[in-house]
Structure formats: structure tokens, C-alpha cells
Amino acid sequence: MNKLIFFCACLLWTINGLGQTSSNQSEQLVTLTCTYRLIFRPDSNSANQSVEKMVLLVSKNLTEFKSYNISVRDSLKKAAIVKGNEIGVNDPNLGQVISNMLKGPKPKFDYIVYKTLNPKKCIVYDNILLDNYKYEEDKYSFDWKLIDTTSIIAGYECQKAITNFAGRRYTAWFTRKIPINDGPYKFSGLPGLIIKISDMTNSYNFELIGLTKPTKIFFISLPAEPVLTTTKGAFFRAARAARENAVNSAPQFGITFKNPEAAQQQLTERLKHANNPLELKY
């Protein structure tokens, strides 16, 4: 049990690190917080839906998009700082800290998407087990087709646009009232903030539910911790392999199963119902 707790602690600390330390040289003052509700279907063969609150932080030259629960998890980590030092493995308070973190909300998505204006690129930070990775899309762009159709969504007059991305066809609604060429996830490039965007199968639906200006001064920047740089395709393939081989790799973290074959069968069955990723092609 101690090995399992230690593994959880390492995992939580590793993932949290991406949201904590940054390079002061690239800090950007946050001027707007856009909160989206993501409704998605993990299983393409089921009508069951899941919901996650997501946050887009906007600054002059950088935006950051992540699960709201990552922010909550970061706050729990900050609470673990004692006299300016992080709690260590042998600290008597470690057990309580881990317990608090495990009880906290678990993000359904661990990725953090950064978009820079100059140069124009998309940088994604994510993790596979205990390893943190990043990949860049230097020439990412969307071939938007603007449609002469308008609608009021979330209180804003919006115009319709359509595009294709990663194996899906999307309908977006954006407003020129908010002159920010950005939106949820990697979507950007329209002449106004994307208020709502969903794919044609209604598997992924992002919709703005809140727009606020920060009441306190805070900054965003690209994480400064060492990470493994890879390509998008290599990351997606490695992440898939890690999920499929989780039972075989568990012993290296001190986790064993009385019946590995049964555990693998259960994992395989779960993965059958997690067959509907946002990006179908990469």
C-alpha cells in the first residue's frame, strides 16, 4: 500500500508541475478568462455523455487552455507548501496531503494547450505515466468557411463557420463583439472569439458559459520544467500504447495484481468504451 501511495504522490506532483513553475521571461498578464462547458461522448457507440469545465486564459501574445480541475488541483498542491518548501517523501504530513489531493476533482483531460501569436504556433503539454511531454504544431491553421448565418448564443450575436480538423467536421459560432482570434482547445483563426463549436457527430461540444476579467493580477507563461519534446503523432501513439499496456507496466511502480490476465481483460473492456478521442487523425 505504501508503494501505491508513493506512486500516486509522484504522479500527482509530476502532472501538477506543468501548471506551477514558469519562466519569468515569458510571463504574460492575463486580461480575460473564458470558461467553456465541454460535453462529449467517450464511447462512439453510446449516447452517454460526460461533462468537463474548461478554461481559456487570454493574454496579449499567449493563451492557455486546460481543464478547470487542473487549476483546482494546482491550488491543492500550493496548500502543500510549508515555509516555502514542498513537502518531501519523508515528511509526516505527506499522507494527509496526498489524501487531500486524491479527494480533489480529477481532470478528465490532462493536456494544457498554449497558443502563441508571434510566432504563430500551438504547443501542447501532456503526460504519459510519470513522464511529461510537449509537442509543437508550428504551422497549424484552420481552413474556415464563413457562412452568412447568425444566431444569438450565450448572449452574443454570432456568425457561423465550418472547418475540418483531425478527422472531424466542425461547426463554429464566433462573435466579432469580442475581437480575439481564439477559442477552446486548438481552435483559432476566426475574426472573433469562438463562443460555441461542435463536430457533426455531436461527440464534442464546447460552449462558452462565462467571460470575466480577472479581479487580481496574475500571469501565464510556458512551463519551465524539463520536458521530453516529441512530435504529435509519436505522442499520441505512445499514449495509446501506455494505456493498452498499463497492466504490464504496473509492477515497475510497485503495483501487482493477483490475476494479471483478468486485470488485462478488464482494461481491454474499458478501453473499448473509450474509443472516441477528439482527434481521430494525427
Side-chain angles (χ1 to χ4, degrees):
M1 187 64 177
N2 289 336
K3 290 182 179 179
L4 177 58
I5 291 177
F6 178 68
F7 168 66
C8 292
C10 292
L11 182 60
L12 288 168
W13 247 252
T14 301
I15 294 173
N16 277 342
L18 290 179
Q20 288 294 314
T21 304
S22 59
S23 171
N24 291 331
Q25 294 180 351
S26 61
E27 283 190 342
Q28 298 283 322
L29 177 67
V30 174
T31 58
L32 194 65
T33 299
C34 310
T35 304
Y36 291 87
R37 180 193 299 113
L38 168 60
I39 301 176
F40 65 101
R41 291 191 296 120
D43 186 350
S44 62
N45 299 313
S46 172
N48 293 336
Q49 296 178 319
S50 188
V51 180
E52 183 86 337
K53 187 193 294 187
M54 313 292 290
V55 178
L56 175 69
L57 301 177
V58 179
S59 68
K60 183 177 180 180
N61 296 308
L62 179 71
T63 63
E64 177 187 273
F65 183 77
K66 62 185 178 183
S67 167
Y68 171 79
N69 286 337
I70 290 180
S71 299
V72 174
R73 193 171 60 186
D74 287 347
S75 296
L76 291 173
K77 183 186 176 183
K78 288 180 180 178
I81 304 300
V82 178
K83 296 181 180 179
N85 297 312
E86 291 193 9
I87 289 178
V89 173
N90 297 319
D91 194 292
N93 295 314
L94 178 61
Q96 184 59 50
V97 171
I98 294 174
S99 177
N100 292 339
M101 294 177 72
L102 292 176
K103 290 178 182 178
K106 184 181 184 303
K108 296 182 176 70
F109 303 97
D110 285 317
Y111 61 74
I112 304 177
V113 178
Y114 294 92
K115 283 168 277 187
T116 61
L117 182 62
N118 187 22
K120 186 179 181 344
K121 64 172 61 177
C122 178
I123 308 170
V124 180
Y125 289 78
D126 208 333
N127 65 81
I128 301 174
L129 297 178
L130 298 183
D131 293 322
N132 292 325
Y133 292 85
K134 78 169 182 178
Y135 65 85
E136 297 185 5
E137 297 178 73
D138 292 326
K139 297 182 180 179
Y140 87 103
S141 61
F142 293 88
D143 184 17
W144 293 104
K145 179 180 180 181
L146 273 59
I147 309 298
D148 191 20
T149 301
T150 61
S151 180
I152 302 299
I153 301 176
Y156 296 94
E157 181 180 354
C158 299
Q159 183 177 348
K160 185 178 180 180
I162 58 175
T163 193
N164 295 311
F165 171 65
R168 296 182 185 276
R169 189 164 180 79
Y170 287 88
T171 297
W173 296 89
F174 69 96
T175 179
R176 298 176 188 270
K177 300 294 184 181
I178 306 174
I180 297 172
N181 311 125
D182 215 308
Y185 194 56
K186 300 177 181 179
F187 300 105
S188 64
L190 285 167
L193 181 68
I194 296 174
I195 301 299
K196 181 178 180 179
I197 184 167
S198 58
D199 74 303
M200 295 302 184
T201 67
N202 207 32
S203 292
Y204 287 84
N205 187 327
F206 296 90
E207 185 167 355
L208 186 77
I209 58 174
L211 189 68
T212 59
K213 292 184 177 182
T215 56
K216 297 182 180 180
I217 295 176
F218 71 102
F219 301 84
I220 56 174
S221 63
L222 298 177
E225 287 85 355
V227 294
L228 300 173
T229 300
T230 186
T231 64
K232 176 180 175 180
F235 176 83
F236 275 54
R237 289 190 292 271
R240 179 175 180 175
R243 289 192 296 270
E244 294 174 346
N245 296 296
V247 173
N248 292 331
S249 61
Q252 65 182 294
F253 302 111
I255 302 172
T256 58
F257 300 94
K258 292 183 178 180
N259 189 338
E261 291 184 0
Q264 182 61 48
Q265 289 178 354
Q266 292 178 1
L267 174 62
T268 301
E269 188 61 29
R270 286 199 299 270
L271 291 178
K272 286 181 181 179
H273 300 288
N275 58 25
N276 199 24
L278 192 154
E279 298 195 35
L280 296 174
K281 297 181 179 180
Y282 48 84

